[in-house]
Amino acid sequence: MLINCVAYQEGKKLTDVPVVDISEYLKEPETFVWVALRDPNVDEIAVMQDEFSLHELAVEDAARGHQRPKMEEYGASIFMVVHVVELEDDELKIGQLAVFAGPNYVLSVRRDSAQDFLGVRKRAEREPHQLGKGAGFVLYALVDAVVDRYFPIVDMLESELESIEDHIFSQKDAQRANVERLYALKRKALVLRHAVIPLMDAVGRLHGGRVPAVVADTQDYFRDVHDHLFRIAGRLDAVRDTINTAIQVTLSMVAIEENDISKKLAAYAAIFAAFTAFAGVWGMNFEFMPELKWKYGYPFALLTMATVCGYLFRRFRKAGWL
């Protein structure tokens, strides 16, 4: 579906352009065309390929979707794939933004994402001195908008991790639920990391050293985006390490609780073993046994059992087993 198709000249909006006239506007000096598509069908992609003379391999990647974040050069043009990450029903959903950037055009293809980029276009149009830099600045603005939307997700992951850490020590009877939440959080962090790390490598090729001509005047902007991605990656690594530590702490606490239970069971087993031993000896049916004919033999046996069991209980209590 076509979102908009606009021609710009010297950083100012010239006019909305019919799709069939795109190639004519591309011939105009100091003019570039910015087209935005959402979930296009095969025919719409084919029309854009003809109008912009796009490379067939890049078009195939944009049409299929589910590509890894990357940046590829095709002659004087750039093809870039960025993952759009959004939170939906407590799960991270991955969309894709594919951007074709040439000397005088930008074509963005958004798939599987409800997030729009109309604000990016309005922001660019309010800064004609920046928009005058052409396709390189538009590419930067789109990528920067995607990366900025990663920060709230990282904040959410960190807040959820802090909540789980509090529950680890305050709700000792819910350790299984804590481990499940930690693993779910780890999966979310991994999803975001898969979007950030490849994109960081791709953006790193757009500043410093040899860069494509399209972004020659916007290297400083892409350096800033790369710095943002580096910060996000660092925070994700910290979240991942903390999750691993929290899982180990949780499992250790479970082991400690199980050890305490085992101590209690062993202590009571020892107490009842002593009781059983005395009862077994005095319960044997021999004719000649000490205290067998004694009037106080039975109370004496019970008192002896109680004394020994009480002594064992006290010792185990003092040792912290009971």
Side-chain angles (χ1 to χ4, degrees):
M1 180 176 66
L2 180 68
I3 302 299
N4 40 43
C5 180
V6 183
Y8 297 88
Q9 193 171 62
E10 296 181 352
K12 298 180 180 179
K13 182 177 179 179
L14 191 60
T15 183
D16 292 323
V17 179
V19 173
V20 295
D21 294 338
I22 289 177
S23 56
E24 297 300 321
Y25 278 89
L26 294 179
K27 298 176 184 178
E28 298 291 331
E30 303 298 327
T31 301
F32 80 93
V33 178
W34 181 357
V35 182
L37 299 177
R38 176 185 177 184
D39 297 317
N41 56 39
V42 176
D43 294 335
E44 290 175 319
I45 289 287
V47 170
M48 293 300 168
Q49 183 178 6
D50 292 337
E51 292 294 326
F52 291 110
S53 300
L54 303 175
H55 196 282
E56 59 182 6
L57 293 178
V59 170
E60 183 180 354
D61 288 344
R64 286 182 177 179
H66 306 290
Q67 299 294 312
R68 185 174 183 269
K70 60 183 178 179
M71 191 282 293
E72 296 175 343
E73 294 183 63
Y74 294 97
S77 65
I78 292 176
F79 174 67
M80 196 162 188
V81 175
V82 183
H83 280 179
V84 181
V85 183
E86 51 194 324
L87 188 65
E88 183 176 294
D89 297 330
D90 201 36
E91 292 291 336
L92 292 185
K93 181 182 177 183
I94 300 295
Q96 175 179 294
L97 178 67
V99 184
F100 299 84
N104 55 353
Y105 69 86
V106 173
L107 168 63
S108 65
V109 181
R110 175 164 52 100
R111 288 189 176 279
D112 303 321
S113 175
Q115 296 183 4
D116 63 66
F117 293 90
L118 296 176
V120 176
R121 186 182 291 271
K122 292 178 180 179
R123 167 196 167 191
E125 290 177 351
R126 288 196 301 266
E127 301 175 340
H129 62 289
Q130 299 283 21
L131 195 55
K133 296 176 182 178
F137 179 77
V138 175
L139 176 62
Y140 150 75
L142 290 171
V143 175
D144 184 59
V146 173
V147 173
D148 283 346
R149 293 170 184 176
Y150 291 163
F151 281 101
I153 298 177
V154 178
D155 294 338
M156 180 272 295
L157 295 177
E158 291 176 338
S159 297
E160 187 173 349
L161 178 57
E162 291 176 359
S163 174
I164 297 174
E165 286 181 311
D166 292 338
H167 289 163
I168 289 176
F169 298 100
S170 63
Q171 299 180 358
K172 295 183 179 181
D173 57 342
Q175 301 298 9
R176 180 185 178 89
N178 290 333
V179 172
E180 291 177 352
R181 291 181 63 191
L182 286 169
Y183 271 102
L185 187 63
K186 187 174 183 179
R187 185 169 60 251
K188 293 177 186 177
L190 190 60
V191 168
L192 184 57
R193 195 173 190 276
H194 285 167
V196 170
I197 299 302
L199 182 59
M200 187 165 60
D201 294 337
V203 173
R205 297 167 57 191
L206 298 179
H207 69 86
R210 177 200 168 277
V211 298
V214 176
V215 297
D217 296 333
T218 53
Q219 293 188 60
D220 292 341
Y221 297 95
F222 284 105
R223 183 182 296 111
D224 183 65
V225 174
H226 187 268
D227 179 66
H228 290 173
L229 288 169
F230 186 80
R231 287 164 50 197
I232 293 173
R235 292 173 65 182
L236 287 175
D237 287 341
V239 168
R240 183 181 59 179
D241 292 342
T242 305
I243 289 174
N244 290 334
T245 302
I247 290 175
Q248 293 300 320
V249 170
T250 303
L251 296 178
S252 297
M253 291 184 65
V254 171
I256 291 173
E257 290 179 4
E258 291 179 349
N259 187 49
D260 290 340
I261 294 174
S262 298
K263 286 181 178 180
K264 290 180 180 179
L265 293 176
Y268 282 117
I271 293 173
F272 282 102
F275 188 92
T276 304
F278 281 111
V281 171
W282 274 311
M284 291 187 292
N285 296 319
F286 289 106
E287 183 177 355
F288 300 103
M289 289 184 64
E291 297 89 28
L292 188 62
K293 302 296 183 178
W294 186 29
K295 180 173 64 172
Y296 299 105
Y298 186 71
F300 174 76
L302 292 179
L303 179 61
T304 303
M305 294 178 190
T307 302
V308 173
C309 291
Y311 172 75
L312 291 175
F313 181 85
R314 182 179 179 186
R315 290 296 302 270
F316 285 128
R317 188 71 176 269
K318 188 176 181 180
W321 285 36
L322 295 174

